């Protein structure tokens, strides 16, 4: 499967990034999220990005377990915590809010993205998901060659940190390597 790519442009016609819409069905989302959190957790940061707040949490390691129940994926890290993410139809909402609440909780939009610097070179890679009311549910940032493990700007790019993006691009997006991912110079340098 190959997902369709859309290029984002600003008011001046400059490309600011690219997006690939992802399927919204529960099985597909479960497969993707399990793969990323279980097999590619090192260097990830995640959390909702909302107006006025950005939550960029790091997984403490591989989750102890990932489960799905009543439309919710739960990623459990033991004593370090867990999170729930609605990825399907939550029948439990039927008693408290009916179909309107079921539709609001369910994913309404999911997409992979690649953000560009001023010269149009990629400097950011990730996945985001919004609910049926278009509210942020998850922003997932893949390891970045321009950011170190301790969240500092890197002196020189570490291209090995693109491994998660390359895996996702090949397996989940189905897009060939266009040769652009290693053209960036970093944040504020392009």
């Amino acid at each position: 499967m190959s997902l369709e790519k859309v290029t984002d442009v600003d008011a001046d016609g400059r490309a600011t990034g690219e997006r690939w819409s992802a399927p919204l069905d529960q099985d597909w989302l479960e497969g993707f999220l399990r793969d990323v959190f279980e097999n590619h957790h090192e260097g990830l940061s995640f959390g909702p990005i909302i107006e006025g707040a950005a939550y960029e949490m790091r997984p403490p390691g591989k989750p102890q377990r990932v489960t799905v129940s009543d439309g919710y994926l739960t990623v459990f890290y033991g004593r370090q915590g867990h999170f729930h993410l609605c990825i399907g139809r939550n029948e439990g909402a039927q008693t408290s809010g009916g179909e309107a609440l079921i539709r609001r909780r369910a994913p309404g939009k999911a997409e992979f993205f690649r953000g560009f610097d001023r010269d149009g070179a990629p400097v950011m890679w990730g996945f985001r998901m919004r609910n049926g009311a278009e509210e942020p549910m998850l922003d997932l940032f893949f390891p970045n060659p321009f950011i170190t493990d301790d969240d500092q700007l890197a002196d020189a790019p570490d291209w090995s940190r693109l491994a998660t993006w390359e895996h996702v691009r090949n397996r989940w997006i189905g897009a060939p390597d266009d040769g652009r991912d290693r053209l960036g110079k970093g944040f504020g340098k392009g």
Side-chain angles (χ1 to χ4, degrees), residues 7 16-17 19 43 56 66-67 72 74 78 82 84 88 92 98 101 122 144 152 163:
T7 301
T16 59
R19 296 176 282 121
E56 296 183 50
V66 177
T67 61
Y72 275 87
T74 299
H82 64 278
H84 308 282
L101 185 55
N144 190 308
Q152 302 298 311

Side-chain angles (χ1 to χ4, degrees), residues 30-116:
E30 178 184 357
F32 165 68
L33 292 167
R34 274 184 184 275
D35 181 33
V36 171
F37 281 102
E38 290 179 341
N39 302 315
H40 302 278
H41 55 274
E42 292 185 29
L44 290 179
S45 64
F46 67 95
I49 305 297
I50 59 177
E51 282 302 322
Y55 298 87
E56 296 183 50
M57 311 302 288
R58 294 279 179 125
K62 182 176 180 172
Q64 289 182 6
R65 66 182 177 272
V66 177
T67 61
V68 175
S69 178
D70 195 18
Y72 275 87
L73 177 100
T74 299
V75 179
F76 183 75
Y77 293 105
R79 297 185 74 187
Q80 289 84 22
H82 64 278
F83 67 91
H84 308 282
L85 185 64
C86 190
I87 62 168
R89 184 172 170 85
N90 173 233
E91 293 296 338
Q94 193 67 260
T95 58
S96 59
E99 287 297 319
L101 185 55
I102 290 172
R103 283 190 305 277
R104 181 179 185 145
R105 287 181 177 176
K109 181 179 188 179
E111 62 189 10
F112 296 95
F113 65 88
R114 180 164 76 164
F116 296 162

Side-chain angles (χ1 to χ4, degrees), residues 119-135:
D119 295 330
V123 292
M124 183 176 11
W125 301 261
F127 173 81
R128 60 184 155 237
M129 197 164 76
R130 305 298 181 250
N131 67 14
E134 298 186 25
E135 299 164 330

